[in-house]
Amino acid sequence: MAKPATNRQSPRVVQLRKGATIEMVRLTCPDATQAMRIAESYGTAVVDSDCIRDLHERLIIETADSLSDGLGERAMQIHLQRMVGAFVGSAHGAGQFYSRAVTEARDATAKAANDARDEDLDGPVGYDSAAQRKREFAADMGVQAHALRMAAEAAVAAYSQVVGEAWRPFDRPVDNPGQALDRKAAEAQLAALG
């Protein structure tokens, strides 16, 4: 004998798309000391970290001040949450790109050190080798990632000042409309089976 079917619904699991955190930014982007070493070693521009940080912190605080009459406390928190999230996400993306550029530069440099490889030899006189170009590109990306890190850290600090609590990324539910349709189609098919 077959048991009658029972309609139990399993608990719905909602997957969340995790946002970038300031800790993730700090792990991927160079700090001031490393940015200074990069600038000295490669002759790139020396970034004024303190200026970037101060300017962006004032930007967020002054933005909040100008909106304070028009926004309620919760609306202000949501607005600033999104603004800070954009700064942090941008810095994290730059840090990840920098990390990939460093990996490629290291790989190219290691290949160039192998005397048996013809394709990795230095370029014609007056031109840099491919490995050198990759190292210089990684250096440029490091300085850029550092500048964006300073802006993100400033935005997080300003958020804490304005809202009165530490900033946390918003974890958004993963959009997967096809899954809901598949589930409904499967339920309809099972219902047809009896």
Side-chain angles (χ1 to χ4, degrees), residues 19-102:
T21 65
I22 194 66
E23 290 77 21
M24 293 164 74
V25 169
R26 289 178 179 141
L27 288 172
T28 57
C29 296
D31 61 10
T33 304
Q34 188 178 5
M36 183 62 77
R37 278 196 319 259
I38 291 170
E40 290 171 353
S41 295
Y42 289 90
T44 61
V46 176
V47 175
D48 188 350
S49 304
D50 294 334
C51 179
I52 292 170
R53 187 176 169 85
D54 293 343
L55 178 69
H56 283 82
E57 193 168 340
R58 277 197 325 269
L59 171 76
I60 300 294
I61 291 170
E62 289 175 10
T63 298
D65 287 344
S66 70
L67 292 171
S68 63
D69 291 338
L71 295 180
E73 190 175 308
R74 181 70 179 139
M76 178 69 75
Q77 183 180 10
I78 292 168
H79 177 65
L80 292 178
Q81 161 71 32
R82 291 175 177 153
M83 283 182 63
V84 174
F87 279 102
V88 171
S90 177
H92 183 248
Q96 288 178 315
F97 191 80
Y98 165 67
S99 295
R100 283 191 297 274
V102 168

